[in-house]
């Protein structure tokens, strides 16, 4: 096994980088929501189309991604994913030229299609590249790249997309309607260069992935291949997996919804705060999220995973409720603090869900990745509720979602054994 790990060192390095790349893409969306809201004069519900388009790509492509990885190998799936990611990022260039919201949504959909291939393949591949007893350590190391990517994405968005002029409401108010529209549309150009650079970098990764060696999971599997249809029926009879898919749907919806509207919440609860200033609170949320992942990983060495998941989900719900009813600076601090306790929820749900599937883990993993569609559904629900009753009350949606995760953790406490902190990196 050690020689195998050495032989595939370039593949390990490239695969770890994938966690960074999809973290960056996911959290750039939170910046785009604030940016597009101004540029296209959108309601909160309309801004949720960003996440709806993005997570629809995950939902539709997760199963095809798993099938490609099973039939053609990890390399084919990763090259395909990186290529789609690069194409989607490069599509921001013509989208800026057309200046229409729908073209940006189409580009984000293509990016997410690529990420579905990457997320479905990366964790099983990292687990395979080395000794079984070292799988948890390798996966934890890979996950560390994910919060770094999310933080980097917010910094890119803050300093290269949210322009300083965009915050000058007085200057905009003094303009005629035509001048205001032209000015706001002109700000769309700020997304062009960052996404062009991202597209070219990801394309370079795709070329590198095509040239280096990956293990052939078509030959190296420990069990005979199971027809995909039969495998799907088998995993769907696992109640823990099914509940994990439900819990993941609600968790991702809560995470995406909170981060999508953190800038909006900050500006409503701290009047006069600029978008760039509000982005600092999103940045703080992601830093706490990253710290929480390391702290949570250490705690999981002493506390059973289902129990810790239940505690963290309960605290996330409590802090979100505080943000709903307290508001102001205190509410904003509570909202930011919730990210610390969100940190272990995705990977722990993931690990519990696939823990008993054996050679069918990849099929189970694809179903959990499909559950990421919760990011689209719950964010849309938050946007609609925000338009009706305000952004504070809209946070009741993620608060309820965290209670679903709490219920999963409580149930898993009585049915699951020890689960290592080893899964994908949201």
């Amino acid at each position: 096994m050690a020689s195998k790990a050495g032989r595939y060192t370039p593949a390990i390095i490239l695969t770890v980088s994938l966690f960074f790349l999809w973290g960056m893409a996911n959290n750039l969306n939170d910046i785009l929501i604030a940016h597009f809201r101004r540029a296209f004069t959108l309601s909160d519900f309309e801004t949720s189309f960003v996440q709806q388009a993005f997570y629809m790509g995950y939902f539709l492509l997760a199963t095809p991604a798993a099938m490609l990885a099973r039939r053609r190998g990890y390399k084919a799936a990763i090259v395909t994913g990186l290529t789609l990611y690069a194409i989607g990022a490069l599509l921001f260039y013509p989208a800026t030229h057309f200046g229409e919201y729908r073209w940006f949504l189409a580009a984000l959909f293509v990016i997410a299609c690529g990420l579905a291939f990457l997320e479905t393949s990366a964790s099983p591949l990292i687990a395979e590249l080395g000794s079984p007893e070292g799988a948890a350590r390798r996966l934890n190391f890979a996950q560390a790249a994910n919060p770094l990517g999310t933080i980097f994405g917010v910094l890119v968005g803050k300093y290269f997309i949210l322009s300083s002029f965009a915050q000058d409401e007085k200057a905009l108010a003094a303009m005629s309607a035509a001048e205001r529209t032209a000015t706001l549309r002109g700000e769309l150009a700020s997304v062009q260069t960052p996404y062009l650079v991202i597209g070219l970098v990801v394309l370079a990764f795709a070329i590198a992935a095509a040239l280096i060696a990956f293990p052939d999971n078509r030959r190296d599997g420990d069990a005979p291949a199971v027809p995909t249809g039969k495998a799907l029926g088998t995993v769907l009879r696992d109640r823990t997996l099914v509940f994990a898919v439900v819990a993941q749907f609600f968790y991702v919806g809560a995470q995406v919804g909170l981060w999508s509207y953190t800038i909006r919440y900050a500006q409503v609860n701290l009047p006069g705060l600029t978008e760039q200033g509000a982005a600092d609170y999103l940045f703080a949320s992601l830093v706490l999220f990253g710290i929480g992942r390391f702290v949570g990983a250490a705690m999981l060495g002493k506390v059973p995973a289902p129990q810790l998941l239940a505690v963290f989900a309960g605290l996330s719900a409590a802090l979100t409720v505080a943000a709903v009813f307290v508001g102001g600076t205190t509410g904003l601090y509570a909202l930011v603090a919730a990210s610390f306790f969100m940190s272990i929820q995705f990977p722990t749900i993931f690990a519990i869900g696939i823990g008993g599937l054996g050679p069918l883990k990849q099929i189970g993993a694809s179903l959990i990745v499909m559950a990421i569609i919760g990011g689209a559904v719950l964010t849309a629900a938050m946007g609609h509720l925000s338009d009706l009753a305000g952004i504070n009350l809209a946070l009741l949606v993620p608060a309820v979602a965290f209670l679903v995760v709490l219920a999963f953790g409580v149930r898993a406490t009585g049915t699951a054994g020890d689960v290592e902190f080893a899964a994908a990196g949201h």
Side-chain angles (χ1 to χ4, degrees), residues 311-366:
V311 171
F312 272 40
L315 290 171
S316 296
L319 287 166
T320 305
V321 169
V324 173
F325 294 108
V326 176
T329 302
T330 302
L332 182 55
Y333 286 166
L335 185 65
V336 170
S339 289
F340 179 91
F341 298 103
M342 286 160 50
S343 57
I344 70 159
Q345 293 183 50
F346 184 98
T348 306
I349 295 169
F350 196 110
I352 293 172
I354 67 173
L357 297 180
L360 299 180
K361 284 184 177 181
Q362 197 168 61
I363 296 297
S366 71

Side-chain angles (χ1 to χ4, degrees), residues 256-269:
V256 173
L258 284 184
W259 289 347
S260 294
Y261 292 113
T262 292
I263 292 176
R264 175 76 170 136
Y265 180 92
Q267 289 189 288
V268 168
N269 284 271

